[in-house]
Amino acid sequence: MATPGSAQHGAGNGEWRFYGGDAGTTKYSPLQQIDASNVKDLKIVWEWKAQNFGKRSDFNWETTPIEVGGVLYTTAGSRRDAVAIDAATGETLWMYRLDEGARGTVVARTQNRGLAFWSDGKGADRILMISPGYQLVALDAHTGQPLAGFGTNGLVDLTKGLDRAEVKPGQIGASSPAIVVRDTVVVGAALQSGAAPSSKQNVPGYIRGFDVHTGKLLWTFHTVPREGEFGNETWENESWKYSGNTGAWAPLTGDEELGYVYIPVEMPTGDFYGGTRPGNNLFSDSLVCLDARTGKRIWHFQLVHHDVWDMDITAAPILTDINVDGRGIKAVAAVTKQGFTYVFDRVTGKPVWPIVERPVPQSDVPGEKTAATQPFPTKPPAFEKQGTSLDDAIDFTPAMKAEAQKILSQYKLGPLFTPPIVTDTDGKKGTLLSPSHVGGANWQGGAFDPETGILYVASVNNPDSLGLAAADPKRSDMGYVGGGGRGRGGAPPRPAGGDPEARPAARENIGPGGLPLVRPPWGSVVAIDLNKGDIAWRAPNGDTPEYIRNHPLLKGIDIGKTGRPSRAPLMVTKTLLFTADGSNLFNGVAGGGGNGFRALDKKTGAVLHEMELPAMTTGIPMTYMVDGRQFIVVAVGAAGVPAELVALALP
């Protein structure tokens, strides 16, 4: 059932019913009790500790709670227990724990970003969660008890129906919540990172819709098209039979007025080598619009052809009602790792501004055949620097610039979409990409102000090397895998299993003296006017990291605010834009993250107030009104600091 204000106009009724505030993932609330005149008075009014949920303390808690009727609902701990919390006081109201045995301890992704909610408007309220072992669970929102009439005793096994004879524990799961569009629960999928996969064969991340009342499977959308289906011919040499991934690990977005759901599909197996899957590989790296009740494809657009850069669509698409040249458009915007904002008419799929196919450099890796062209939006401008050259070198002093250019010359440089190389080809360590696969925008995505047409997005400028190495046939049949460049060839493989502390170390800088290699800003918040297709303003995300400010090579040099190289979570209200340093807890970089939480002027990006939280922000902030008081709640944590929810309000 649709609720007032739950489509694309922001969170309504003082609540926060969806992961992104509304079904359109705007992360906008019209609440204005907290404004520029009093934001300096914000205080922590309660904290909810997640420390004892699970055998080990979680610290990278990427959740954003939902709030309905004075109750917060979220997941907590490595088991992803569902919890209900009094939104005014932080008191725990109920907890649901599903013991899945071994199935729940070996998981594809340890992260989980929350829950979904459905109501018939008459008191039959449901919470939908996806378990670590990839089961869909329906709970009574008032008691936390499984609903016997849903699936089998409240559970639906999501590992069934994936066209594989066997799906092993840990192969597939979910890192983001389901979304409910009208009476359909739409479920995405997340698989293990594919930097160095053991096989070209993997489970496909099909998208599926289930009846919210019964749990009955309504439809399956094959993100790797089967024989006879649209797009099957883009998987040459019958690679569709065994290729996997192509899930949607980022949050999903819905339009309850149209009854559509928008799917940000990730890339196929593996991340940096596609020789085992020749062709453009539809529907990988595509924004796909489906009828939420039937699963019928309404339209699609592939943002990256034959991806070998790990350029997944990592953020939830954002529904935006905009006015372009006097014409009102129901739009959808997708921000990406490569620093682009792709904007479409969300009804027809027609680009709001032309998206043109342009020739790009080609791969010389044996067995690889990259696409001859890639789609480039003509508007808005890229919100992050794209491509690498010697001119990008850090240049605070002439000696520093010379050393940085010497380091840059050890890598293959080039424009966006320059393919990875085999390490040591022509004496180069790897291809230096900017933005890299951990740069640009990521799952934090953007926030949209429906009153002004401004889209806010946080971005990271962090070039990184992609170098390939021949795969050991005893360990992988991929031909080539990530493994060169800086000794990692990109992101290290995400560890399997449920250990939340098994995380990669922060990525060291490769510039002079351990400084960043390229000029700042290294982290930014960017305002994009979607009515005009222009950049409205750009501001650094926080101050300069301490180790850089105090670096001996920079003694006596004022380098200004560079921004922190970590992705800032964003939430916008009628009066303010809220952001933070970010967590830097997975695939982070040196100097990233911090405890700072800020309120910005929406028109200029100027900092109006900054405060320190108990740890780094790990989730997207959300806001709601209870008993006449506006609260802001955000998840925080850090290595060695157990995760918690922090609630802010005026005294």
Side-chain angles (χ1 to χ4, degrees):
M1 174 180 176
T3 55
S6 63
Q8 67 281 348
H9 305 296
N13 301 325
E15 297 180 320
W16 193 275
R17 290 193 168 211
F18 292 83
Y19 165 84
D22 54 18
T25 321
T26 61
K27 303 187 188 112
Y28 172 83
S29 172
L31 296 180
Q32 54 182 324
Q33 184 181 88
I34 300 169
D35 60 23
S37 69
N38 59 28
V39 67
K40 66 182 182 302
D41 298 322
L42 277 181
K43 304 293 183 184
I44 296 176
V45 293
W46 57 255
E47 298 172 71
W48 190 91
K49 309 285 187 177
Q51 183 170 1
N52 296 326
F53 286 77
K55 294 181 178 180
R56 294 187 179 181
S57 297
D58 194 5
F59 58 85
N60 187 16
W61 196 16
E62 295 180 354
T63 190
T64 296
I66 54 178
E67 191 274 342
V68 183
V71 179
L72 291 171
Y73 302 95
T74 190
T75 55
S78 58
R79 289 180 180 267
R80 296 186 197 165
D81 301 326
V83 295
I85 303 166
D86 186 300
T89 66
E91 178 186 4
T92 302
L93 301 177
W94 57 252
M95 182 268 285
Y96 169 78
R97 170 170 293 173
L98 176 62
D99 187 354
E100 297 180 288
R103 175 176 180 162
T105 59
V106 183
V107 299
R109 302 284 178 106
T110 58
Q111 295 90 351
N112 182 261
R113 301 186 179 99
L115 300 166
F117 175 83
W118 174 88
S119 174
D120 67 353
K122 302 175 183 178
D125 301 334
R126 299 189 169 197
I127 293 296
L128 290 306
M129 66 172 282
I130 305 174
S131 72
Y134 205 41
Q135 299 187 79
L136 178 64
V137 185
L139 304 173
D140 184 308
H142 304 287
T143 66
Q145 295 300 307
L147 295 166
F150 185 92
T152 302
N153 298 321
L155 280 71
V156 173
D157 189 343
L158 297 174
T159 64
K160 306 297 184 184
L162 297 175
D163 293 335
R164 295 294 185 267
E166 180 184 13
V167 179
K168 298 178 181 179
Q171 281 189 290
I172 189 168
S175 55
S176 295
I179 190 170
V180 183
V181 182
R182 296 181 178 174
D183 286 356
T184 303
V185 186
V186 184
V187 176
L191 296 98
Q192 289 186 19
S193 175
S198 60
S199 177
K200 64 183 180 183
Q201 302 182 48
N202 204 358
V203 177
Y206 293 162
I207 310 302
R208 287 169 290 176
F210 299 87
D211 186 276
V212 74
H213 302 279
T214 66
K216 177 184 177 182
L217 176 66
L218 299 175
W219 52 264
T220 300
F221 180 76
H222 300 121
T223 51
V224 178
R226 299 190 296 187
E227 191 169 21
E229 294 181 338
F230 182 90
N232 174 263
E233 73 284 354
T234 67
W235 297 81
E236 298 173 10
N237 297 349
E238 297 190 323
S239 56
W240 60 273
K241 289 185 176 181
Y242 55 79
S243 295
N245 292 81
T246 62
W249 61 262
L252 311 180
T253 294
D255 188 322
E256 295 194 316
E257 296 171 358
L258 295 172
Y260 292 168
V261 62
Y262 300 85
I263 313 296
V265 184
E266 67 159 351
M267 68 174 301
T269 315
D271 288 356
F272 308 127
Y273 181 72
T276 61
R277 47 173 172 84
N280 277 359
N281 307 142
L282 211 61
F283 290 92
S284 70
D285 296 273
S286 298
L287 180 57
V288 180
C289 173
L290 305 175
D291 184 293
R293 193 61 184 173
T294 66
K296 176 184 176 182
R297 178 175 52 87
I298 305 300
W299 60 265
H300 74 277
F301 192 95
Q302 189 174 48
L303 277 57
V304 181
H305 310 314
H306 190 84
D307 190 356
V308 293
W309 303 271
D310 191 17
M311 287 182 176
D312 297 340
I313 308 176
T314 58
I318 301 174
L319 303 194
T320 67
D321 289 351
I322 57 178
N323 189 294
V324 179
D325 298 328
R327 180 169 60 99
I329 301 174
K330 291 180 176 293
V332 57
V335 296
T336 69
K337 288 182 179 181
Q338 57 265 47
F340 279 137
T341 306
Y342 295 81
V343 188
F344 304 92
D345 183 311
R346 68 174 180 269
V347 180
T348 66
K350 180 180 179 181
V352 170
W353 295 281
I355 299 175
V356 297
E357 293 283 339
R358 294 177 180 167
V360 292
Q362 296 299 289
S363 175
D364 57 7
V365 174
E368 184 65 270
K369 184 179 180 181
T370 45
T373 64
Q374 295 289 351
F376 286 73
T378 55
K379 289 182 104 175
F383 57 79
E384 189 53 82
K385 184 194 172 302
Q386 297 175 326
T388 53
S389 72
L390 293 177
D391 292 336
D392 299 324
I394 191 171
D395 59 358
F396 296 132
T397 68
M400 191 178 299
K401 180 177 180 180
E403 184 177 352
Q405 288 185 332
K406 182 178 179 181
I407 296 171
L408 280 164
S409 67
Q410 299 172 13
Y411 299 89
K412 182 174 182 178
L413 309 178
L416 186 68
F417 294 114
T418 299
I421 63 170
V422 176
T423 297
D424 295 331
T425 298
D426 297 326
K428 305 295 185 181
K429 293 182 177 181
T431 299
L432 197 66
L433 294 187
S434 181
S436 72
H437 52 289
V438 295
N442 210 274
W443 64 266
Q444 294 86 348
F448 178 71
D449 188 336
E451 297 186 30
T452 63
I454 300 294
L455 171 68
Y456 301 96
V457 61
S459 184
V460 172
N461 175 20
N462 176 38
D464 201 14
S465 173
L466 287 185
L468 300 180
D472 181 350
K474 296 179 180 179
R475 302 184 64 181
S476 175
D477 60 11
M478 284 296 298
Y480 289 88
V481 295
R486 287 168 38 185
R488 283 197 294 243
R494 185 173 279 107
D499 182 357
E501 295 186 356
R503 64 186 183 93
R507 307 162 82 73
E508 69 279 1
N509 287 314
I510 58 175
L515 290 168
L517 183 58
V518 300
R519 299 192 307 273
W522 298 309
S524 303
V525 177
V526 184
I528 304 170
D529 188 330
L530 288 186
N531 294 319
K532 299 178 180 179
D534 294 332
I535 303 293
W537 54 259
R538 182 187 305 270
N541 173 32
D543 208 339
T544 304
E546 289 77 5
Y547 88 96
I548 293 178
R549 189 186 310 115
N550 300 322
H551 198 285
L553 289 179
L554 297 175
K555 187 175 182 179
I557 301 175
D558 181 8
I559 62 174
K561 282 191 174 184
T562 65
R564 292 181 177 271
S566 51
R567 309 177 195 98
L570 301 172
M571 185 264 290
V572 64
T573 68
K574 191 175 184 69
T575 56
L576 297 166
L577 174 65
F578 290 92
T579 184
D581 288 335
S583 72
N584 202 48
L585 286 176
F586 195 89
N587 285 340
V589 296
N595 296 4
F597 185 77
R598 291 179 287 279
L600 307 184
D601 185 307
K602 294 196 298 183
K603 294 182 179 179
T604 66
V607 176
L608 300 177
H609 175 63
E610 183 166 8
M611 62 185 297
E612 292 285 305
L613 297 181
M616 298 188 288
T617 53
T618 56
I620 304 297
M622 50 84 71
T623 188
Y624 55 89
M625 184 80 77
V626 173
D627 298 332
R629 193 182 196 190
Q630 183 182 354
F631 293 81
I632 296 172
V633 170
V634 62
V636 303
V641 181
E644 62 178 86
L645 292 178
V646 175
L648 307 173
L650 298 174

